[in-house]
Amino acid sequence: MDLFFHTSIDTKDSMFSFNDEESRHLSKVLRKQPGDVVAVTDGKGTEVIVEIQNISPRKSSGVITETILHPALKHKTHIAIAPTKNIVRLEWFLEKATEIGIHRITPILCKHSERKMIKNERLNKIIQAALKQSQQFHLPKLDELKTFESFIEEQNGGYIAHCNPGTKQELANLKSIVNSTCILIGPEGDFSVDEVTFAEKNNFKPVSLGKQRLRTETAAIVACHTLALIHRNL
């Protein structure tokens, strides 16, 4: 069943109206007809089944025939990542991480960061599209860009993946992990030694993602998928 996204759903209302963009997609791309059924989510766990009654490129609407409440995932993955110089690589990460299952993404500005600005509106649209494609009902939260130091000071600890020398745990071999896990992924030039030291002083434990040197977005996907597997087995 095709899944649509809407920021708010009034479950007390028996009718649902699609916005202009969704109406065009319903009529021009999917070529839906009155009587067809689609699903809509607000990204907060609510799903409604809508039977289309009126359809046009400008305004489509239908009747809500069923409401389903999906519980949030017990285990939450929070990845703080330095935006890549090529924004397409960051967009790819957001799409794939959403498909895998992620709770929150925080872009961080580091000493070696080459990209210092991002447009959250576009990035949120990519996340919404990935949510619909993967048939999920909880939209990951995308924070505004923060400095590395301010982000660390807001957290209660977590993990930092880096390539600097030193003793590290393999992320895949962690035996004990909390329900909400935060992991830091650095820029193309990696975290500086001072940043690693600062993070470790604030209860961030160093971890390794393997022997290969990974691109920023690849490292973030490896971390996201590894945590998903760990959480699945808890």
Side-chain angles (χ1 to χ4, degrees):
M1 185 183 301
D2 293 301
L3 179 64
F4 287 78
F5 174 81
H6 200 276
T7 54
S8 62
I9 298 174
D10 186 355
T11 56
K12 297 179 181 179
D13 195 340
S14 61
M15 297 296 296
F16 181 84
S17 296
F18 296 90
N19 61 31
D20 292 349
E21 182 179 353
E22 291 169 332
S23 293
R24 286 194 297 273
H25 190 69
L26 281 166
S27 63
K28 294 294 187 180
V29 179
L30 299 179
R31 299 189 181 278
K32 296 294 186 182
Q33 300 295 324
D36 287 342
V37 175
V38 297
V40 184
T41 183
D42 60 0
K44 302 168 188 174
T46 300
E47 177 192 12
V48 291
I49 307 302
V50 179
E51 182 179 333
I52 298 171
Q53 291 189 333
N54 303 296
I55 188 162
S56 75
R58 294 186 177 181
K59 186 176 181 180
S60 298
S61 61
V63 60
I64 296 176
T65 61
E66 184 180 0
T67 299
I68 305 167
L69 299 179
H70 298 271
L73 293 175
K74 180 181 178 181
H75 305 291
K76 299 175 180 179
T77 295
H78 180 186
I79 290 186
I81 179 173
T84 51
K85 181 179 180 180
N86 183 345
I87 194 63
V88 173
R89 296 187 181 278
L90 178 64
E91 293 172 353
W92 178 86
F93 159 70
L94 293 174
E95 179 184 76
K96 302 311 175 189
T98 300
E99 292 177 14
I100 293 169
I102 190 170
H103 174 67
R104 186 175 178 183
I105 306 106
T106 304
I108 52 174
L109 185 61
C110 301
K111 182 178 180 179
H112 297 151
S113 291
E114 295 188 76
R115 172 170 291 278
K116 303 183 186 302
M117 292 181 62
I118 58 173
K119 296 181 179 179
N120 274 43
E121 183 178 355
R122 172 175 169 77
L123 298 180
N124 270 311
K125 288 183 177 180
I126 290 171
I127 292 173
Q128 291 169 13
L131 181 85
K132 293 186 291 184
Q133 188 277 330
S134 57
Q135 299 279 303
Q136 296 187 70
F137 306 97
H138 291 274
L139 188 73
K141 179 182 179 183
L142 176 65
D143 294 322
E144 296 292 330
L145 183 66
K146 298 181 179 182
T147 64
F148 176 86
E149 290 79 8
S150 64
F151 176 78
I152 293 294
E153 290 171 348
E154 293 173 358
Q155 303 303 308
N156 295 318
Y159 299 94
I160 178 169
H162 64 85
C163 299
N164 293 319
T167 303
K168 306 170 196 172
Q169 292 178 286
E170 287 285 343
L171 182 63
N173 294 336
L174 291 180
K175 301 298 182 182
S176 176
I177 198 164
V178 296
N179 288 347
S180 183
T181 307
C182 177
I183 184 166
L184 306 173
I185 303 294
E188 283 91 332
D190 203 358
F191 293 114
S192 69
V193 173
D194 288 343
E195 286 172 333
V196 173
T197 301
F198 183 73
E200 290 179 350
K201 286 182 178 179
N202 285 271
N203 300 316
F204 276 82
K205 300 176 182 177
V207 291
S208 171
L209 302 178
K211 295 180 180 180
Q212 301 93 331
R213 181 178 291 271
L214 305 174
R215 290 181 180 270
T216 294
E217 71 280 6
T218 309
I221 286 296
V222 169
C224 184
H225 186 251
T226 301
L227 290 174
L229 292 177
I230 293 173
H231 289 154
R232 188 179 302 172
N233 293 325
L234 291 178

